[in-house]
């Protein structure tokens, strides 16, 4: 039996060659796998529970842009660069804690500005004794310190209101003098009235 022994291996070799992947095919598969991993890495990069609703929406917008850019990448190095680029963008989104801190700081600055403005207005519109001027200054400093020590915006507002009330409660020379002037004026009027009555009585006696 004279068979062509070379026909089988030749056929098998041909089949094997047909199933081998080219370098381009391997690179394409590796690139696709890198893209899948990159998208997953970015998706898991932040803990959305730490963010407010508006910021979660911002995060999702960034991720959507990142996915589009990754899909368009043509090399693994480009994919890696995009991952780092979009991590920077995601790091720029503020957490709830960061926003709370910024809002508290802004409320404190606003409260302190109002306390200082009230202090300046009271000084410009009123006169104080040396002791009361010192009391006014101390009331202002205490109010500012209480605002700085506040840990919530509600506490800031309370400290501000209490501070302004304390400033307004410091006695001025005008407020103190008003009562004294009225009393003094009353005494003068009473004295003059009595003097006038005495003159009338004397005149009647002479008559």
């Amino acid at each position: 039996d004279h068979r062509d022994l070379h026909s089988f291996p030749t056929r098998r070799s041909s089949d094997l060659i047909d199933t081998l992947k080219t370098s381009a095919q391997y690179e394409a598969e590796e690139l696709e796998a890198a893209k899948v991993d990159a998208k997953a890495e970015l998706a898991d990069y932040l803990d959305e529970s730490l963010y407010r609703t508006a910021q979660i929406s911002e995060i999702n917008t960034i991720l959507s842009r990142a996915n589009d850019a990754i899909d368009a990448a043509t090399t693994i190095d480009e994919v890696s660069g995009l991952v780092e680029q979009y991590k920077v963008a995601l790091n720029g989104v503020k957490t709830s804690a960061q926003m709370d801190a910024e809002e508290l700081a802004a409320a404190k600055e606003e409260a302190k500005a109002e306390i200082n403005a009230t202090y300046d207005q009271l000084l410009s519109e009123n006169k104080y004794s040396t002791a009361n001027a010192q009391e006014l200054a101390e009331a202002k400093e205490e109010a500012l310190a209480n605002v700085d020590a506040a840990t919530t915006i509600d506490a800031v507002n309370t400290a501000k209101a209490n501070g302004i009330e304390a400033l307004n409660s410091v006695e001025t020379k005008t407020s103190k003098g008003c009562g004294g002037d009225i009393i003094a004026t009353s005494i003068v009027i009473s004295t003059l009235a009595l003097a006038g009555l005495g003159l009338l009585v004397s005149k009647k006696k002479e008559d």
Side-chain angles (χ1 to χ4, degrees):
D1 185 5
H2 299 285
R3 297 182 179 180
D4 186 356
L5 298 177
H6 296 287
S7 62
F8 294 108
T10 301
R11 209 175 292 121
R12 289 185 187 130
S13 296
S14 176
D15 292 342
L16 182 61
I17 290 171
D18 288 340
T19 61
L20 290 177
K21 295 178 181 177
T22 65
S23 294
Q25 288 173 318
Y26 275 116
E27 288 173 1
E29 289 180 0
E30 289 170 354
L31 177 60
E32 187 59 32
K35 289 181 178 182
V36 171
D37 290 343
K39 292 178 183 179
E41 183 177 352
L42 288 174
D44 294 336
Y45 185 62
L46 298 179
D47 181 356
E48 290 190 356
S49 68
L50 301 178
Y51 296 83
R52 297 181 183 179
T53 302
Q55 280 60 54
I56 291 175
S57 176
E58 184 180 350
I59 289 169
N60 289 334
T61 298
I62 293 172
L63 290 176
S64 176
R65 291 173 182 167
N67 289 342
D68 289 342
I70 289 170
D71 282 336
T74 57
T75 67
I76 292 177
D77 285 344
E78 186 180 355
V79 170
S80 298
L82 287 169
V83 169
E84 297 308 312
Q85 175 185 331
Y86 280 97
K87 279 184 178 180
V88 171
L90 290 170
N91 287 334
V93 181
K94 294 175 182 177
T95 64
S96 295
Q98 288 172 318
M99 298 193 74
D100 288 344
E102 288 182 0
E103 289 166 358
L104 179 61
K108 287 183 177 183
E109 289 304 312
E110 182 180 344
K112 289 191 284 188
E114 193 169 339
I115 289 169
N116 283 321
T118 300
Y119 173 80
D120 292 340
Q121 183 179 1
L122 288 171
L123 277 183
S124 67
E125 294 180 355
N126 301 284
K127 293 186 180 298
Y128 294 88
S129 66
T130 302
N132 287 351
Q134 179 64 27
E135 182 183 348
L136 186 72
E138 290 174 355
K140 181 191 77 169
E141 294 305 319
E142 183 178 355
L144 294 176
N146 288 339
V147 167
D148 277 331
T151 56
T152 66
I153 291 178
D154 285 343
V156 168
N157 291 332
T158 298
K160 177 185 71 174
N162 291 341
I164 290 175
E165 183 180 355
L167 289 172
N168 284 316
S169 68
V170 177
E171 196 172 60
T172 65
K173 284 186 176 180
T174 304
S175 63
K176 184 177 181 180
C178 269
D181 290 344
I182 292 171
I183 293 172
T185 302
S186 299
I187 292 173
V188 170
I189 292 173
S190 298
T191 302
L192 291 174
L194 289 173
L197 181 60
L199 289 173
L200 286 173
V201 171
S202 297
K203 187 175 181 182
K204 284 184 180 181
K205 287 183 178 178
E206 290 174 358
D207 293 341

